[in-house]
Amino acid sequence: MSWPRVGALRGLELGTPGRMRERLNGLVLSGRKQATAGLLSEYEVEGEELEHVGERLALLDDLGDQIATVEITDVQIVPFIDVPWEFAAAEGEGDADLEEWRDGHRAFWTAEGTPVEDDTAVVCLRFVLV
């Protein structure tokens, strides 16, 4: 299985379908969300290459329709415990501090069936809306 494509662009599907994706997409469209985190293991399982600086991605809604385009400005792989506050804050999801960000992301990934440990590799993507 590969990640969705829209024309020549790889798709970016944030969160889970429904209310979460709608909220996260809204944060991107408003300019508040300029980063997102994923698990390196997801790329490996799906045989997907990492994004690269300058790559453009189609931001997708629940129907797989492109609602915007983002351009990757930075890609870093770090252990979960080493994700810096500067990155977490750039996700724009309203976390008060790094501990709240960690708790929320641990809960999300655990609910998705992929619990994370402190040393779990996290792909930290920064982007701009274009």
Side-chain angles (χ1 to χ4, degrees), residues 80-81 83-85 88 95-107 118:
F80 178 77
I81 198 68
V83 171
W85 171 242
D95 295 310
D97 56 31
L98 194 52
E99 211 49 48
E100 186 175 342
W101 181 90
R102 286 184 184 136
D103 290 346
H105 281 70
R106 275 188 203 274
D118 287 352

Side-chain angles (χ1 to χ4, degrees), residues 65-94:
D65 292 329
Q66 182 175 354
I67 58 170
T69 302
V70 298
E71 184 172 311
I72 301 297
T73 59
D74 189 51
V75 179
Q76 294 186 23
I77 300 172
V78 297
F80 178 77
I81 198 68
D82 292 337
V83 171
W85 171 242
E86 180 185 25
F87 175 84
E91 281 204 299
E93 297 176 27

Side-chain angles (χ1 to χ4, degrees), residues 31-54:
R32 288 188 51 207
K33 183 171 183 60
Q34 300 176 357
T36 193
L39 299 178
L40 182 60
S41 61
E42 294 172 342
Y43 290 82
E44 294 166 349
V45 165
E46 299 197 12
E48 194 69 34
E49 292 182 24
L50 288 175
E51 291 83 359
H52 59 273
V53 172

Side-chain angles (χ1 to χ4, degrees), residues 105-115:
H105 281 70
R106 275 188 203 274
F108 172 77
W109 284 319
T110 297
E112 291 296 299
T114 315

Side-chain angles (χ1 to χ4, degrees), residues 113-124:
T114 315
V116 297
E117 303 296 332
D118 287 352
D119 63 349
T120 299
V122 175
V123 179
C124 297

Side-chain angles (χ1 to χ4, degrees), residues 5-59:
R5 303 286 197 274
V6 175
L9 300 179
R10 286 199 279 177
L12 176 60
E13 297 177 302
L14 297 174
T16 54
R19 185 168 287 167
M20 176 185 260
R21 182 164 299 150
E22 184 177 325
R23 183 177 76 83
L24 296 177
N25 283 348
L27 291 171
V28 172
L29 295 174
S30 73
R32 288 188 51 207
K33 183 171 183 60
Q34 300 176 357
T36 193
L39 299 178
L40 182 60
S41 61
E42 294 172 342
Y43 290 82
E44 294 166 349
V45 165
E46 299 197 12
E48 194 69 34
E49 292 182 24
L50 288 175
E51 291 83 359
H52 59 273
V53 172
E55 181 177 7
R56 291 188 172 195
L57 304 174
L59 183 64

